[in-house]
Amino acid sequence: MSVESMRRIELFRWMLRARMLDERMAKLKAQGEVAGSVFLGRGQEAFSAAAGINLRPGDLFAPLIRDQAGRLAFGETYFDVVRTVMGRSTGPMRGRDGNIHRGNWDIGLLPMISHLGAMVSVLSGALLARRLSGRLRSGDLDVGVCSIGDGGMATGALHEGLNVAAVERLPMVLLVANNQYAYSTTNDRSFACKHLVDRAQGYGIAGRVCDGTDADACLREVSAAMSAARRGQGPQMVVADLLRLAGHGTHDDMSYVGADMKSRYADCVPVFEQRLVHDGVMSANEMSSLKDQIRGDIEAVITQVRGEAQPDPDTEIWSALCETQLTTLRSAVA
């Protein structure tokens, strides 16, 4: 089997794992086992997974709520996800925070800040700290990947952070998932430029566009952008055109999305599955076996987590970070 085929299979596996895990978390919510909402990456798996499989140890990743595919590919476990969503004390947030803010400094996975544009500033600061400490050297650089949506592109924090990254020529890749809606606000009420990638020129950075419903296109453009950043060519922006195929969260029925809009955008997961079978990269039986394996793995995790404790407010240590965590954080940034 060719390297290209193996790469495409790897991409699809992370897309499928993310889709099936998201769907199972939504079912747990419907069953009353989740406090708060569940946020689904349906329709954005190809773009997110393309970043995740290009990340390597030493890189930094600042994902958002629809980046389950990239998170898993970068090393987040089913246990971290399920424990956080179900509010267990054994999870990375110890059951004390919303189920979307999880991270893992040990692997360079930055916890998400609710004010989405702020993560660009956080990542810029982390990369600049590495440069000042001598960790970022010329040549094959560690990179930082930051995800944002079309709505988050309008925030002041993003502008300030991206401007710093551009001026300092930091090895950052900004993934912009243009899913057509800033919650329920359409593109034509969010920005006036012809396309969001036009903004790259204003910052003096490279910009690329891909069809976010086409997994091969996502892999091609994101891989090229991350390679350019590693070579020291400064920040890279990749804008993927796609549609969020679920509400903002499970609390949102997306009734504001018309049938015409839905008809314009394909679902990247079944499209890529059909393409891989058509190209002879995977057989239908292999697809079925893969789904069974993923389903079994997820169910085993849920079964274990159901038996784990929720946080006890009488015994919980309420400090945000213990000394061990602070030491890990400092070493990750420095």
Side-chain angles (χ1 to χ4, degrees):
M1 182 178 292
S2 69
V3 173
E4 179 187 2
S5 293
M6 290 189 291
R7 188 79 159 157
R8 295 174 77 197
I9 291 173
E10 180 187 10
L11 179 68
F12 178 71
R13 282 175 174 163
W14 293 118
M15 291 169 59
L16 189 59
R17 286 168 179 149
R19 173 65 62 90
M20 295 180 71
L21 181 61
D22 273 356
E23 290 178 346
R24 192 63 182 90
M25 295 303 97
K27 186 174 181 180
L28 288 176
K29 170 63 180 177
Q31 293 170 332
E33 296 190 60
V34 175
S37 194
V38 170
F39 299 86
L40 308 178
R42 191 180 299 151
Q44 299 186 194
E45 292 93 346
F47 191 44
S48 181
I53 67 172
N54 277 288
L55 288 163
R56 66 188 189 189
D59 290 337
L60 296 173
F61 184 29
L64 289 185
I65 56 178
R66 280 174 251 291
D67 275 307
Q68 188 58 72
R71 286 173 175 271
L72 291 173
F74 191 44
E76 186 175 60
T77 67
Y78 290 152
F79 277 108
D80 281 350
V81 179
V82 177
R83 284 168 172 160
T84 304
V85 171
M86 298 186 73
R88 294 306 194 260
S89 60
T90 48
M93 309 306 295
R94 308 207 303 272
R96 294 176 40 200
D97 199 353
N99 57 38
I100 59 174
H101 299 137
R102 64 188 184 273
N104 185 340
W105 278 101
D106 290 339
I107 63 173
L109 186 66
L110 278 59
M112 192 194 95
I113 299 173
S114 292
H115 303 287
L116 308 182
M119 293 309 299
V120 179
S121 297
V122 171
L123 188 57
S124 292
L127 291 171
L128 186 58
R130 286 183 168 187
R131 174 180 290 170
L132 294 175
S133 69
R135 183 168 173 178
L136 283 184
R137 299 178 178 85
S138 60
D140 191 20
L141 300 173
D142 291 337
V143 302
V145 173
C146 190
S147 296
I148 198 70
D150 46 292
M153 284 290 287
T155 62
L158 180 136
H159 165 73
E160 294 173 3
L162 189 53
N163 188 59
V164 168
V167 170
E168 296 295 337
R169 303 289 291 170
L170 297 174
M172 175 191 288
V173 178
L174 181 65
L175 302 178
V176 184
N178 182 8
N179 59 29
Q180 314 306 311
Y181 290 90
Y183 202 124
S184 59
T185 303
T186 53
N187 278 181
D188 63 324
R189 302 303 301 166
S190 296
F191 55 87
C193 54
K194 184 177 180 181
H195 196 282
L196 280 174
V197 77
D198 297 341
R199 293 188 180 180
Q201 184 176 2
Y203 287 105
I205 65 177
R208 299 171 181 270
V209 178
C210 68
D211 178 354
T213 71
D214 183 335
D216 287 317
C218 290
L219 182 58
R220 180 176 60 252
E221 297 302 330
V222 173
S223 297
M226 293 181 69
S227 294
R230 291 196 194 281
R231 293 194 300 268
Q233 295 180 12
Q236 311 286 311
M237 179 190 294
V238 185
V239 182
D241 293 313
L242 45 83
L243 180 67
R244 163 168 51 84
L245 300 179
H248 179 73
T250 50
H251 58 279
D252 172 22
D253 66 4
M254 64 183 301
S255 57
Y256 46 83
V257 181
D260 178 64
M261 177 65 78
K262 293 178 181 178
S263 69
R264 297 182 206 171
Y265 295 93
D267 184 339
C268 61
V269 174
V271 167
F272 197 37
E273 177 179 348
Q274 293 164 15
R275 185 182 299 169
L276 291 178
V277 173
H278 177 270
D279 293 347
V281 177
M282 292 183 71
S283 68
N285 286 338
E286 288 173 328
M287 288 289 182
S288 180
S289 296
L290 177 59
K291 292 175 184 178
D292 288 342
Q293 176 192 340
I294 294 171
R295 187 177 298 108
D297 291 343
I298 293 172
E299 290 305 318
V301 170
I302 292 173
T303 298
Q304 178 173 328
V305 172
R306 277 185 172 133
E308 295 175 350
Q310 295 181 337
D312 182 349
D314 291 333
T315 59
E316 173 67 24
I317 299 174
W318 289 103
S319 59
L321 293 170
C322 67
E323 188 59 36
T324 301
Q325 291 170 314
L326 286 172
T327 300
T328 300
L329 189 153
R330 293 186 188 111
S331 64
V333 174

